[in-house]
Amino acid sequence: MSSATPTPQLVDVVHVDDDGQTENVISDGSSKRGSTRKLRSIVWDHFEKKIINGEQKAVCNHCNSKLVSRQNDGTKHLHDHMKSCFMKKQKDINHYMTKLNTVKDDKGHSKVESFVFDQDVTRKTIARAIVKHEYPLSIVDHEGFREILSSFNPMWKHVSQNTIKKEILDLYENEKAKNLNALASNQSRLAITTDMWTADTQTKGYMAVTGHFIDDSWTLRSLVLRFQHVKGSHTGLKLCDTLFNCLMDLHLEHKVSSVTVDNCSANDRMMEYLLIKLNKDDLILRGQLFHIRCCAHILNLIVKEGMTVISDGIAKIRESVVFWTGSCKRKEKFEEFASRSNVKYDKQLVLDCPTRWNSIYLMISSALQYKNIFLRLKDIDGQYKCCPSEEDWQFAIILEENLKSFYDVTELFSGTKYPTTNVFLQHVCEIKLSLQDWLLSPCDRIQHMAQLMLLKFDKYWQDMSGILGVACIFDPRYKKKFIEYYFSMVYGGVKELYVGKVVILCRELVEEYQLKFSPTVYCFDYTVVADELDSYLDEKVIPRMEDFNILSWWKTNANRYSTLARIARDILAIPITTVAFESAFSTGGRVVSPHRNKLHPSTLEALMCCQSWLRAYNSSLKSEGISQFATFLEEEQEEQDEQEVPEYPFYSPPMFLTRFAIYLLPTLTTWDKPDNLK
């Protein structure tokens, strides 16, 4: 016969709640001391009975509200609280709000899990969005922005500018540490480009320092290292100290291969001082390839030299463009007349700008497209008295043909994703050959222009030919034969002298790298060095292919040509331009956006550097069909037919806002769902 189960001893546990009141929790979970009656109502899954200051209470497990719970009170008021409890609603939403986890299970399937709102994650997401898209930090104080976030998730607690600024600085430090670790562990050298930025409403100047290298997987990478405020006048010594201190702070002074700068006297002085401060034994060939002049700026200077003699020849075209773009009424009349004349108006008239030489090319190109329209309007509009003559149009046609080659090459030099150095020699030589052809032009103005441009070209050609020639040698499609072909047209009968200089430069590089990385082999058998280079040059060039990847080729053949592969990895990473495409044609410099130029220099540096770093790792965005981050100042709305205008009141939301929506409301898979968001 089994013995009766003994009644458990009751012990009161005393607690002090958040309001300072004392509470007793009955150990067996019952509502009164000594009671063993089982609580059957579903509400007790959400409440806990406690005695607070001698009075029995039902405490909500979700919001900690304390409701009366005497023996005869019933549970209706507890049921009512369950229906209205805000915290319970937030937790219950996890049962039907799910998101696809990026972590995959053992079978490779993505996991589906309940969504849990995290204030910290959302705050970090906002910080990254501000960095990516150049939103002002004050956006977190904007009423509309706050309403949007609150509508996505009422649990969101608004943050201040100082809070989001701290989040951005933390992001900067974390990303900076990752990048420095990557640079420290990388085995190749680092090529530097530096350019000056200005704030348009201030006199502050900033030095942007970017590092370019080929990583251990043979991928070409670029990282903004610093966006340093340069105090005082920007003399060569001041710029040198700023750049040198940057390299020292990042422990990169022993890994630099070259520095690419534009062509101004202050930069020339900076490079002279920098060579004195750095240890030449740490540099390639003791600094022979250290100073790289920006080829985009050189082409800019060459073209601007020629533009000085042609301004009169395009004066009528410029006046005509000014006349027909001077008012909205004239623009509409010009476009309407083009339409009536069955001329497609798909390119607007462009007026040239003094600081952008390509604007002359674009102005001429757009005007030539509507030549007949100008001629017809001359007979219709009595106020239009500056129509170009037939001689002016013929000169414009010749000038457009000649400038197009410069425009195309500058666009290549200044692409957002710049190619490796090996592809540029051909285009530079073709520029030289074009200028030589212009000397034979029947037009005296073109001849004079070509003479001035050739003088400027020859001034900088010697500085460019060395690095471009070496990079071409290390292209298995070109090697020595390619240089011989173009140098024969550029130098004529003395081509062997200049081809020999490039080959000697390559041999000196091989000797230096062999001595540095394999000193034992070099000391005992010099022929190993010569054999590796000669074997490579004697080997038949590979067929030319449009999709040829030179870095993949060297990665595959690194075991065959170990020394040459090390050289190729350093040489091919050297950029020959410092500017992006949008500023390649400009002499006006680079400008900090208006809503950022009043920020503290340290905050501005964090924003500029982080934006570059996040853009460098935007592979996830590319997979979604987005090639780059649109910025606050660059948003453009494409013209759409009325039938194509969507029902919701804006054309396309910023991507970061869509990401907020999906994070805060995981069931929102596309912007036009659910319907109540239209």
Side-chain angles (χ1 to χ4, degrees):
M1 182 176 179
S2 61
S3 59
T5 303
T7 302
Q9 185 177 0
L10 299 176
V11 179
D12 288 343
V13 182
V14 180
H15 297 276
V16 179
D17 68 3
D18 296 336
D19 300 327
Q21 296 177 314
T22 60
E23 59 182 31
N24 296 334
V25 181
I26 301 176
S27 59
D28 66 349
S30 62
S31 61
K32 60 188 283 186
R33 188 180 300 274
S35 173
T36 59
R37 182 165 59 91
K38 185 176 181 181
L39 303 176
R40 299 181 181 276
S41 175
I42 192 175
V43 298
W44 298 114
D45 292 337
H46 304 278
F47 288 90
E48 181 180 2
K49 284 202 169 189
K50 297 181 181 180
I51 297 177
I52 302 176
N53 291 341
E55 186 177 357
Q56 193 165 271
K57 298 285 187 181
V59 182
C60 177
N61 294 335
H62 306 292
C63 66
N64 204 35
S65 296
K66 302 173 180 64
L67 285 70
V68 294
S69 182
R70 294 186 294 269
Q71 184 174 1
N72 298 324
D73 286 338
T75 59
K76 183 178 183 304
H77 65 298
L78 302 182
H79 280 284
D80 292 340
H81 178 80
M82 285 175 56
K83 296 177 182 179
S84 61
C85 179
F86 179 78
M87 295 296 293
K88 176 181 178 300
K89 287 183 178 181
Q90 175 62 27
K91 292 183 179 180
D92 286 350
I93 203 172
N94 295 339
H95 295 296
Y96 58 86
M97 291 181 64
T98 60
K99 65 178 181 178
L100 199 62
N101 198 336
T102 56
V103 179
K104 298 184 182 297
D105 57 21
D106 297 337
K107 296 182 179 180
H109 302 299
S110 297
K111 299 179 181 179
V112 177
E113 60 180 22
S114 62
F115 165 76
V116 179
F117 172 72
D118 191 323
Q119 173 85 11
D120 293 339
V121 172
T122 305
R123 189 175 62 250
K124 294 178 186 298
T125 304
I126 293 175
R128 294 173 72 91
I130 290 175
V131 169
K132 290 178 182 178
H133 306 286
E134 296 187 15
Y135 294 104
L137 286 106
S138 60
I139 193 174
V140 296
D141 294 330
H142 294 178
E143 181 180 356
F145 182 76
R146 291 188 168 192
E147 289 175 352
I148 290 173
L149 294 181
S150 296
S151 69
F152 288 149
N153 196 314
M155 290 298 297
W156 165 253
K157 296 179 181 179
H158 300 301
V159 297
S160 65
Q161 288 191 50
N162 288 335
T163 300
I164 210 67
K165 175 182 174 181
K166 181 180 181 301
E167 199 68 54
I168 290 173
L169 293 176
D170 289 342
L171 174 65
Y172 167 71
E173 293 297 335
N174 292 335
E175 294 295 326
K176 179 180 177 181
K178 294 178 184 177
N179 291 325
L180 289 182
N181 290 335
L183 291 175
S185 60
N186 192 62
Q187 299 299 313
S188 65
R189 287 182 177 269
L190 188 73
I192 299 292
T193 57
T194 178
D195 200 8
M196 292 300 299
W197 289 56
T198 56
D200 58 355
T201 60
Q202 299 182 12
T203 58
K204 288 183 179 179
Y206 299 86
M207 175 182 284
V209 181
T210 308
H212 311 267
F213 63 98
I214 296 173
D215 63 20
D216 293 337
S217 63
W218 284 85
T219 300
L220 184 62
R221 295 181 57 187
S222 297
L223 294 173
V224 173
L225 304 176
R226 293 295 303 270
F227 195 79
Q228 181 74 40
H229 177 214
V230 182
K231 298 180 180 179
S233 58
H234 299 165
T235 63
L237 183 59
K238 172 68 73 173
L239 297 178
C240 171
D241 291 339
T242 303
L243 180 56
F244 181 75
N245 291 335
C246 169
L247 297 176
M248 294 293 290
D249 292 342
L250 301 176
H251 308 291
L252 298 174
E253 67 276 12
H254 302 299
K255 300 190 69 171
V256 176
S257 61
S258 64
V259 178
T260 305
V261 293
D262 62 13
N263 304 284
C264 66
S265 57
N267 281 338
D268 290 342
R269 301 287 84 75
M270 177 188 74
M271 297 303 295
E272 292 174 2
Y273 293 135
L274 197 58
L275 276 173
I276 295 174
K277 287 195 170 189
L278 292 173
N279 185 352
K280 288 190 176 182
D281 291 336
D282 294 329
L283 303 177
I284 297 177
L285 298 180
R286 295 183 58 81
Q288 288 188 45
L289 303 178
F290 184 67
H291 184 182
I292 306 296
R293 297 182 183 275
C294 174
C295 286
H297 278 114
I298 291 175
L299 292 182
N300 195 346
L301 294 173
I302 292 172
V303 176
K304 285 180 68 66
E305 189 74 16
M307 295 298 102
T308 59
V309 300
I310 65 165
S311 56
D312 294 341
I314 59 174
K316 290 292 185 179
I317 291 179
R318 181 183 293 108
E319 292 175 13
S320 295
V321 173
V322 170
F323 181 87
W324 290 110
T325 60
S327 67
C328 294
K329 184 177 180 180
R330 288 177 179 171
K331 285 182 180 179
E332 292 173 359
K333 182 177 180 179
F334 189 91
E335 184 175 352
E336 180 183 354
F337 193 82
S339 177
R340 281 191 287 143
S341 302
N342 294 323
V343 176
K344 187 176 181 180
Y345 191 78
D346 57 353
K347 182 190 295 185
Q348 292 189 353
L349 295 175
V350 178
L351 183 62
D352 62 336
C353 173
T355 62
R356 298 177 66 86
W357 71 260
N358 71 312
S359 63
I360 297 178
Y361 166 77
L362 296 175
M363 179 182 70
I364 295 173
S365 178
S366 63
L368 285 172
Q369 183 171 333
Y370 306 113
K371 172 185 174 182
N372 293 333
I373 304 301
F374 284 109
L375 295 175
R376 292 178 184 178
L377 285 171
K378 172 187 175 183
D379 300 329
I380 296 176
D381 194 322
Q383 294 182 329
Y384 177 42
K385 300 179 180 180
C386 53
C387 183
S389 64
E390 184 60 29
E391 182 182 354
D392 293 330
W393 287 117
Q394 291 301 318
F395 178 72
I397 292 173
I398 297 173
L399 188 59
E400 183 201 26
E401 293 175 353
N402 292 338
L403 289 180
K404 189 178 187 306
S405 58
F406 277 86
Y407 182 88
D408 292 341
V409 172
T410 306
E411 184 177 358
L412 171 69
F413 281 6
S414 310
T416 302
K417 288 185 174 297
Y418 70 88
T420 46
T421 318
N422 56 298
V423 303
F424 294 111
L425 180 66
Q426 172 186 354
H427 301 286
V428 174
C429 289
E430 287 175 353
I431 289 290
K432 169 81 170 181
L433 297 176
S434 296
L435 292 176
Q436 291 176 346
D437 290 340
W438 296 1
L439 292 174
L440 305 177
S441 172
C443 178
D444 293 337
R445 285 177 178 169
I446 296 296
Q447 289 184 21
H448 189 195
M449 182 181 72
Q451 291 172 356
L452 295 177
M453 295 171 73
L454 271 172
L455 289 175
K456 186 69 70 172
F457 182 95
D458 292 337
K459 176 181 178 181
Y460 294 107
W461 167 245
Q462 295 302 324
D463 296 329
M464 295 188 294
S465 59
I467 182 64
L468 296 180
V470 170
C472 190
I473 288 285
F474 281 87
D475 190 326
R477 299 170 299 171
Y478 303 150
K479 299 185 181 179
K480 186 178 175 182
K481 293 182 179 180
F482 193 80
I483 299 178
E484 291 175 339
Y485 172 76
Y486 274 102
F487 278 19
S488 65
M489 292 186 288
V490 172
Y491 294 110
V494 294
K495 69 165 187 176
E496 293 297 336
L497 174 63
Y498 293 96
V499 172
K501 288 183 178 181
V502 175
V503 175
I504 290 174
L505 199 58
C506 291
R507 294 194 182 279
E508 291 175 349
L509 282 169
V510 174
E511 293 175 15
E512 180 176 277
Y513 273 70
Q514 189 71 49
L515 181 61
K516 180 178 180 180
F517 295 104
S518 302
T520 305
V521 175
Y522 177 81
C523 292
F524 286 94
D525 190 0
Y526 170 76
T527 58
V528 173
V529 180
D531 288 346
E532 184 171 326
L533 179 60
D534 292 337
S535 175
Y536 168 75
L537 293 177
D538 293 340
E539 191 177 66
K540 188 177 180 180
V541 296
I542 66 174
R544 299 186 189 180
M545 300 171 289
E546 290 185 2
D547 58 346
F548 175 72
N549 188 325
I550 188 173
L551 299 184
S552 296
W553 190 92
W554 277 108
K555 179 181 179 180
T556 303
N557 292 272
N559 291 331
R560 295 174 58 202
Y561 306 114
S562 58
T563 302
L564 296 183
R566 286 183 179 272
I567 300 173
R569 189 171 168 184
D570 291 341
I571 294 297
L572 296 177
I574 296 177
I576 64 167
T577 180
T578 65
V579 295
F581 173 67
E582 61 270 13
S583 58
F585 305 98
S586 175
T587 58
R590 311 182 100 180
V591 181
V592 179
S593 55
H595 61 276
R596 287 189 169 182
N597 57 31
K598 294 182 179 180
L599 296 175
H600 189 275
S602 61
T603 306
L604 182 58
E605 179 174 14
L607 288 168
M608 299 297 284
C609 291
C610 276
Q611 185 186 60
S612 170
W613 299 337
L614 295 178
R615 283 182 173 181
Y617 300 101
N618 66 337
S619 57
S620 61
L621 290 181
K622 287 183 179 180
S623 65
E624 298 174 20
I626 301 172
S627 60
Q628 62 181 3
F629 301 125
T631 65
F632 181 71
L633 298 180
E634 294 172 350
E635 290 183 355
E636 296 179 357
Q637 293 183 351
E638 296 182 358
E639 295 183 1
Q640 303 184 42
D641 295 335
E642 291 183 2
Q643 297 86 348
E644 298 177 347
V645 177
E647 297 180 10
Y648 35 87
F650 37 80
Y651 295 117
S652 61
M655 178 53 62
F656 90 99
L657 198 56
T658 303
R659 289 180 178 275
F660 282 159
I662 294 174
Y663 173 73
L664 296 172
L665 193 62
T667 53
L668 183 69
T669 55
T670 58
W671 187 256
D672 58 346
K673 296 180 181 180
D675 292 337
N676 61 355
L677 288 182
K678 288 184 178 181

